[in-house]
Amino acid sequence: MTEEEYRRPRRKRKRKPVAEELTKRKKSTGVKADARPKAKKKKAKSQDDEPSTHKLIALVMLGIALFGWACAAAAYAHAKEGWRSNETERFAAENEGELESDFRSTRRRAAGAAMFKTAFNSLMDFIGNAFRQIPNVFAVIAFTFSERLWLVILFAVLEGGALGLGYVMEKVGEGFIEPPEYP
């Protein structure tokens, strides 16, 4: 058998009507030429389901700004109000009996538990202080710019970094989008 016998015959493609033929049909019959229902286009998942890059960067920048406010409020409260200035003495007074055991493992376990509890309390106090200092917003800002300028510069650089990250994310995202093809 020859090679031609093994080949299957090619199917003929149906050609779509040309625009001129469509307009002729529409004019002559008065009915739409293509009565088939059009297929619905699927929405791009990245545009509908996922948050946009702008929203994401705005949230990151808001988080940096809130953390910056909490740090500035803590610096103000510590310097002007004496907030958490005797932390070492308070830790020692609270955990004095537990940390004086003869057994090394008992001391380690007690110190670890005490440090975890103190870290959690410190975080809650840090967040609470950020809210307590809201009425003193102008005093906190003035104190931060006059005595803790490095803190302002640090958070300005972090905000700029988040903005730069957003720019890079936009450029990388544009590389994944294929240009539209027009017939």
Side-chain angles (χ1 to χ4, degrees), residues 60-127:
V60 168
M61 290 179 73
L62 180 66
I64 291 170
L66 290 175
F67 186 67
W69 164 256
C71 289
Y76 173 79
H78 184 73
K80 299 292 182 180
E81 300 172 358
W83 175 69
R84 296 186 70 84
S85 58
N86 59 353
E87 228 10 69
T88 307
E89 292 85 17
R90 189 169 75 175
F91 179 79
E94 287 177 359
N95 303 304
E96 146 179 48
E98 298 173 4
L99 299 176
E100 294 181 2
S101 175
D102 291 337
F103 298 109
R104 186 176 186 182
S105 62
T106 307
R107 278 196 314 259
R108 279 191 178 185
R109 202 173 323 119
M115 290 178 73
F116 181 75
K117 182 178 77 171
T118 302
F120 180 76
N121 290 340
S122 298
L123 178 65
M124 291 298 115
D125 202 18
F126 179 74
I127 293 169

Side-chain angles (χ1 to χ4, degrees), residues 24-43:
K24 286 179 187 175
R25 276 194 230 166
K26 285 182 187 177
K27 289 178 184 174
S28 64
T29 61
V31 181
K32 287 185 178 179
D34 195 11
R36 293 178 293 172
K38 293 184 179 180
K40 293 181 180 178
K41 292 182 180 179
K42 291 184 180 179
K43 293 181 180 177

